[in-house]
Amino acid sequence: MSLLSRSVLKEVLRWYAGGIALFMILQMTDALSSTVSQLITYHPPFSKAAFAFLSILPSFLNKTLVMAVAFAILLTFSRMQQDSELKAVSAGGIQPLKLVWPLTLPFVVVAAIAFFNADRLVPAGLDIWQNKAWYDIYNTPPPAPDQDKYTYAPPGALYYAGRVTPDGTTPVAQLQGVMVQRGDETITASSGIWDTATHTWTLQGAWIVRPGQNPVQQTAPLVLPQGDTLDPPIRDSKQLVTSELRRALATQRLDATQRREYTFQLATRYADPLTAIVFALAAGVLGLLLRNRAAAFASVVVFIALFYVLWSTVPGLARAGAMNPTLAAWLPNLVFLLIGGALAWRLR
């Protein structure tokens, strides 16, 4: 690496540190502004509030590691353009594009940090933020995890419950919206109890329908054998580490929508960290075309706005099935690679 490249890299890293601080402050301010009313209402001690916000920091960090890349590189190159350093580089026979490739080296390390953060710290932090920290502030226990649209189909029968709510401390779960079909017999009930220890469903006020007969309501609780096991409910894909996402996708428990969501989340674990490298290339090429600092700030805004639009749109497209989940996860990187390639071609 030449002395010039080292000098450029040092300046980029100084701006990068400032960009990380700036974007972390902006995101924390946004989170605080959206939750300040709850903090005022419940008056939590400082330790509880701090614990809640510390849990969300890893999620903010990954976005910051990417956004600060464009901020640092564009401002560095705008300063060099303004001071005519890039003109001197070109006059000395050095191709400006040779200044871009060394910039990717530190962001390979950033990508590795972002991958570890996304794989380990972000899922744990989101789990605390969504399921523990705020219920601690509210002084209420978190709600029992529900499982919707439960279906079990042993030979010759069908067991269905609109919602299964485990007790959490006992082998008993509450059932809502129950239907059981056994041969020609159909049993429905608005509620019931699933005892996984005795392998039974106990239905309250059940109705029994048989062919050619009027529906009959049972006044006593109706006990039915049920040999299935109570699996833990499907968790939010963002709260799972990468290995857990893979195991979940290897099972048959996910419906089509959940499978698309899990596939998208798994792909983002690899695509999002690499965005830092892609940003370094695209921003570096764009920075060589800038002529002043105002243009650099405008480019930073455009870069981040385009990234945010893509980043916030593709999850919905993937979940709805409008786009392949893996392609949706990699789309922001592909777009910025195309932008960087087109700008590099223009520089040639």
Side-chain angles (χ1 to χ4, degrees):
M1 186 184 297
S2 67
L3 182 61
L4 176 61
S5 297
R6 291 194 188 97
S7 176
V8 173
L9 187 55
K10 287 180 181 179
E11 184 169 353
V12 167
L13 292 179
R14 284 197 297 268
W15 278 110
Y16 187 65
I20 288 177
L22 172 64
F23 290 116
M24 285 295 289
I25 290 172
L26 289 175
Q27 290 185 90
M28 286 300 295
T29 301
D30 179 63
L32 182 61
S33 65
S34 62
T35 56
V36 65
S37 60
Q38 287 91 336
L39 296 177
I40 293 175
T41 301
Y42 291 94
H43 302 288
F46 176 79
S47 59
K48 288 186 178 181
F51 177 71
F53 282 95
L54 285 174
S55 67
I56 201 67
L57 280 181
S59 179
F60 291 161
L61 178 61
N62 261 23
K63 300 175 190 175
T64 297
L65 291 175
V66 172
M67 293 187 292
V69 174
F71 177 85
I73 293 177
L74 291 174
L75 290 184
T76 297
F77 279 177
S78 72
R79 198 276 305 162
M80 295 179 67
Q81 288 280 18
Q82 190 171 0
D83 294 345
S84 300
E85 289 186 21
L86 291 180
K87 291 182 180 179
V89 169
S90 298
I94 300 175
Q95 294 183 358
L97 279 176
K98 289 185 177 180
L99 297 176
V100 175
W101 310 120
L103 295 179
T104 62
L105 297 179
F107 296 113
V108 172
V109 178
V110 170
I113 295 173
F115 175 78
F116 175 80
N117 186 53
D119 179 43
R120 296 292 172 179
L121 304 183
V122 172
L126 289 177
D127 182 39
I128 293 173
W129 173 266
Q130 297 175 4
N131 301 324
K132 299 179 179 67
W134 282 99
Y135 289 103
D136 194 23
I137 290 175
Y138 300 150
N139 290 318
T140 59
D146 294 332
Q147 182 176 345
D148 293 332
K149 299 180 181 179
Y150 164 83
T151 304
Y152 173 57
L158 172 66
Y159 292 79
Y160 172 84
R163 173 166 295 178
V164 179
T165 305
D167 180 270
T169 57
T170 66
V172 173
Q174 301 296 321
L175 303 173
Q176 296 180 11
V178 182
M179 182 187 73
V180 178
Q181 290 182 334
R182 300 188 301 178
D184 294 335
E185 181 181 70
T186 300
I187 305 171
T188 59
S190 59
S191 62
I193 296 175
W194 183 356
D195 191 331
T196 58
T198 60
H199 302 287
T200 59
W201 278 17
T202 302
L203 308 183
Q204 308 293 334
W207 288 85
I208 302 178
V209 179
R210 297 184 178 92
Q213 301 181 18
N214 292 327
V216 177
Q217 185 177 24
Q218 300 293 305
T219 56
L222 180 63
V223 180
L224 303 174
Q226 213 274 22
D228 195 18
T229 57
L230 182 60
D231 293 327
I234 300 297
R235 294 172 58 192
D236 187 341
S237 61
K238 295 180 181 179
Q239 299 173 11
L240 299 177
V241 300
T242 304
S243 59
E244 291 174 331
L245 286 172
R246 292 185 181 279
R247 286 196 295 269
L249 285 169
T251 68
Q252 303 299 319
R253 295 186 60 206
L254 304 176
D255 60 30
T257 300
Q258 292 169 335
R259 184 164 294 276
R260 288 193 295 267
E261 183 177 343
Y262 272 55
T263 302
F264 172 80
Q265 189 60 224
L266 178 61
T268 61
R269 298 293 170 85
Y270 301 96
D272 287 354
L274 291 178
T275 305
I277 301 175
V278 174
F279 258 35
L281 294 172
V285 176
L286 177 60
L288 294 173
L289 296 171
L290 300 178
R291 291 296 178 265
N292 53 63
R293 191 152 294 183
F297 276 108
S299 299
V300 170
V301 172
V302 172
F303 246 71
I304 293 175
L306 180 57
F307 168 74
Y308 183 79
V309 168
L310 290 172
W311 177 80
S312 60
T313 302
V314 291
L317 296 176
R319 183 180 177 83
M323 181 179 292
N324 179 276
T326 302
L327 175 60
W330 285 96
L331 183 61
N333 285 351
L334 295 176
V335 168
F336 281 100
L337 278 177
L338 290 174
I339 292 174
L343 293 175
W345 181 260
R346 180 180 177 182
L347 275 173
R348 294 181 68 248

